[in-house]
Amino acid sequence: MPGCCKRANMKAAIKSDRAFTLVELLVVMAVIGILAGLLLPALSALKANAQRTACLDNLKQINAGIRMYCDDSSDVSPSSRGPWIWYKERIKNYVGLQGHSSPQDRIFACPADTFYYHDPPPAGIVHFVNAPMHDSDLYDYSSYLFNGFNLWFNGPNHQTNYGALGIAGLKLSSIREPVKTVLVAEAPAFDPFSWHEPGTPIQLPPGQWLRFNNAKDMVSFVDGHVSYIRMYYEEGQFAWFYDPPAEYDYKWSGN
């Protein structure tokens, strides 16, 4: 009798160890696929939010650094050569950086910065660059530009603005709408395109630039706040040659 019980138990164990059928495997794979399809957009959204939060923190610190620089410079904003890029040289001590600029200056690196457009002289043909802008010495290893295109340099000893707007060399206290006037922003805000919501395609033939109206970018303002806002684009013009219509939440000019 005990032997019979033992054999019965062994048969039951063998039956319980049978493999999944093909149908069962397909059902499991389908369920996993559905779950992945539901989770991936949520994970992408979390990553995008984290990148915007990091960028917002960077711009707040850079904004504060510019304001401290102005406090020590009779309230006058940076106005050195090409201030939209080289403002960094003036203010980096105020954000805890020493020595030469480098790609390791993480406070100047937007985490969404993965490509940019470059217009090398003398040809004037825009090229897509499939690399972070903050890795380039041409932009002083920064993803962010100062609102200083009003001082557009034409040669080493002459400067003119060609009608461009900006606040370089102005006293911050003279700016009429500090809550709307851009101080420093992600580089795409000036063109505009977007690192956060780039649209498609990104890579275009030489001479073409992915500009589009209502591109969304991180922008900081003279009053100190930072916002993720829509940028206005007028066909055929850089964004910083004109203030946008009234329904937009920013302006380039200080008056």
Side-chain angles (χ1 to χ4, degrees):
M1 195 72 174
C4 292
C5 292
K6 189 173 182 181
R7 284 193 297 272
N9 290 337
M10 289 178 65
K11 287 180 180 179
I14 291 170
K15 286 182 179 179
S16 65
D17 289 340
R18 71 180 180 84
F20 284 110
T21 66
L22 178 61
V23 172
E24 289 171 330
L25 285 173
L26 290 174
V27 170
V28 171
M29 291 174 65
V31 170
I32 292 173
I34 292 170
L35 291 174
L38 294 172
L39 287 174
L40 284 177
L43 292 174
S44 296
L46 285 173
K47 180 181 178 181
N49 286 334
Q51 289 178 332
R52 287 195 290 271
T53 298
C55 192
L56 181 146
D57 289 340
N58 288 348
L59 281 170
K60 280 187 174 180
Q61 294 180 68
I62 294 168
N63 187 300
I66 293 172
R67 294 183 65 84
M68 286 188 284
Y69 166 85
C70 294
D71 288 343
D72 291 341
S73 303
S74 302
D75 196 36
V76 177
S77 66
S79 58
S80 60
R81 63 186 179 92
W84 53 95
I85 295 174
W86 303 111
Y87 78 97
K88 182 182 172 185
E89 281 298 309
R90 298 293 186 93
I91 68 104
K92 62 185 179 183
N93 289 342
Y94 293 93
V95 294
L97 296 177
Q98 303 290 331
H100 297 296
S101 295
S102 80
Q104 305 309 311
D105 299 341
R106 305 315 299 174
I107 189 176
F108 286 91
C110 171
D113 173 4
T114 57
F115 69 95
Y116 64 99
Y117 298 92
H118 177 54
D119 183 6
I125 297 177
V126 172
H127 292 275
F128 171 83
V129 182
N130 190 23
M133 184 172 165
H134 66 76
D135 284 352
S136 172
D137 63 344
L138 294 172
Y139 298 94
D140 203 22
Y141 303 105
S142 177
S143 303
Y144 308 108
L145 300 181
F146 174 65
N147 180 20
F149 282 95
N150 58 308
L151 294 186
W152 186 272
F153 281 70
N154 181 20
N157 299 310
H158 178 67
Q159 52 189 335
T160 181
N161 65 8
Y162 300 108
L165 304 179
I167 60 170
L170 299 184
K171 289 181 176 288
L172 294 189
S173 58
S174 73
I175 294 171
R176 293 179 58 186
E177 295 185 273
V179 71
K180 289 191 70 174
T181 304
V182 177
L183 186 71
V184 64
E186 292 177 326
F190 292 79
D191 289 312
F193 59 98
S194 177
W195 283 326
H196 302 278
E197 300 177 40
T200 56
I202 293 174
Q203 185 164 4
L204 299 173
Q208 296 186 39
W209 199 310
L210 184 65
R211 298 184 179 118
F212 55 94
N213 192 36
N214 292 328
K216 297 192 73 175
D217 297 292
M218 297 297 299
V219 177
S220 74
F221 297 85
V222 172
D223 75 334
H225 84 279
V226 181
S227 294
Y228 185 53
I229 61 171
R230 298 177 302 129
M231 310 304 297
Y232 178 71
Y233 176 54
E234 190 173 290
E235 189 69 32
Q237 284 274 16
F238 290 111
W240 33 272
F241 271 92
Y242 47 83
D243 281 330
E247 63 266 25
Y248 286 79
D249 296 326
Y250 73 95
K251 58 186 293 192
W252 302 110
S253 61
N255 53 27

